[in-house]
Amino acid sequence: MLRRHELSDAEWEFVRPLLPRSERGRRRLDDRMVLNGIVWKFRTGTAWRDVPERYGSWATLHTRFRRWAGDGTFERMLRAAQARADAAGDIEWLVSVDSTIVRAHQHAAGARKGGSASRGLGRSRGGLTSKIHLACDGAGRPLAFTVTGGNTNDCTQFTAVMKAIRVPRLGPGRPRVRPDHVIGDKGYSSKAIRGWLRRRNIQHTIPERSDQVRNRLRRGSQGGRPPAFDKQVYKRRNVVERCFNRLKQWRGIATRYDKTAESYQAALTLASLLMWA
């Protein structure tokens, strides 16, 4: 019987071939049961100790999650899902970039090693926050993301997000890393970003900020031409907002409870993976 917050049969059939197989050692707890418990925990935002016993020991779930997060299993599963979609011609390479703030719960503080910056936490008047910087395809599915403190400026993470786009080929060939077109809001309007995109022959639609327009007009003919801007293409930027909306349906993502950036990024990767199902 399918319970709320669990994987549907279609989602499980999508994920099952991507899971790592263990052929040595004693028989471990059923992967679907474990993955259901992990998904239930992050979709509800509950503590590990409060996960229902029907999914097995909470310690087993936590150990399996930390292992898969640490060895890159979730990342490999996401890349494999993207590779299958790209091979089927299902990825629209009109990429939208944006960020969203996530409030960090008090339980997210207090990790033993490193400062708050290394854990992707930033302090402001509202308390501790994290920021998700994300690039999605034309259908609003995550291609790549980074997690920083909430007080990090969007434009400083643009190249990091773009460089994180890496969709492998199912056959021979290099991974695809270059989109056809990039859409961003005024927060990404800078000479450095536009130059970075031009050097890679990537078309882009990014509106100018009002202060940039005034400075260009004030300089007259020396201000140069305004950057090209297509209003109809820019209207499609809303897919990244819808992507964030879907990710934040997971309460464990809408509010960060994880002390380490690794665990929070793994939860984001798992939620992103299921958006490709």
Side-chain angles (χ1 to χ4, degrees), residues 49-84:
R49 292 176 183 271
D50 296 330
V51 176
E53 293 182 358
R54 63 176 176 267
Y55 301 118
S57 167
W58 70 267
T60 300
L61 302 181
H62 181 259
T63 299
R64 190 82 61 88
F65 171 76
R66 290 289 297 164
R67 181 189 306 147
W68 285 347
D71 64 11
T73 294
F74 291 121
E75 181 70 20
R76 288 192 295 271
M77 291 168 67
L78 177 59
R79 295 299 181 212
Q82 292 172 346
R84 292 197 310 194

Side-chain angles (χ1 to χ4, degrees), residues 181-235:
H181 200 110
V182 172
I183 308 175
D185 61 15
K186 293 182 180 180
Y188 299 98
S189 179
S190 72
K191 289 184 179 180
I193 289 176
R194 295 183 194 276
W196 189 89
L197 292 168
R198 289 193 190 102
R199 287 193 298 273
R200 288 158 179 79
N201 297 318
I202 301 175
Q203 297 182 12
H204 53 279
T205 300
I206 302 174
E208 280 188 294
R209 298 196 309 269
S210 58
D211 64 309
Q212 293 174 329
V213 175
R214 288 195 303 269
N215 290 336
R216 178 169 48 78
L217 294 176
R218 179 176 52 82
R219 297 179 63 187
S221 60
Q222 295 182 349
R225 297 179 180 180
F229 179 73
D230 190 325
K231 291 184 178 180
Q232 295 304 314
V233 173
Y234 189 70
K235 287 180 179 179

Side-chain angles (χ1 to χ4, degrees), residues 242-260:
R242 299 205 303 268
C243 178
F244 283 133
N245 182 274
R246 292 181 64 186
L247 286 173
K248 287 189 173 183
Q249 295 299 312
W250 292 47
R251 294 185 178 185
I253 292 176
T255 300
R256 175 176 167 177
Y257 298 95
D258 300 282
K259 293 182 182 296
T260 66

Side-chain angles (χ1 to χ4, degrees), residues 152-164:
T152 303
N153 194 290
D154 291 359
C155 63
T156 62
Q157 293 297 307
F158 177 82
T159 55
V161 173
M162 296 303 297
K163 289 178 180 179

Side-chain angles (χ1 to χ4, degrees), residues 14-72:
F14 177 82
V15 171
R16 183 175 56 83
L18 306 178
L19 284 169
R21 296 182 180 180
S22 177
E23 299 179 354
R24 295 184 299 175
R26 64 181 182 180
R27 185 176 181 180
R28 65 183 188 184
L29 196 63
D30 179 66
D31 282 337
R32 183 170 187 176
M33 182 186 298
V34 171
L35 199 57
N36 273 333
I38 295 172
V39 169
W40 191 93
K41 181 259 189 277
F42 284 103
R43 280 181 170 168
T44 61
T46 190
W48 284 105
R49 292 176 183 271
D50 296 330
V51 176
E53 293 182 358
R54 63 176 176 267
Y55 301 118
S57 167
W58 70 267
T60 300
L61 302 181
H62 181 259
T63 299
R64 190 82 61 88
F65 171 76
R66 290 289 297 164
R67 181 189 306 147
W68 285 347
D71 64 11

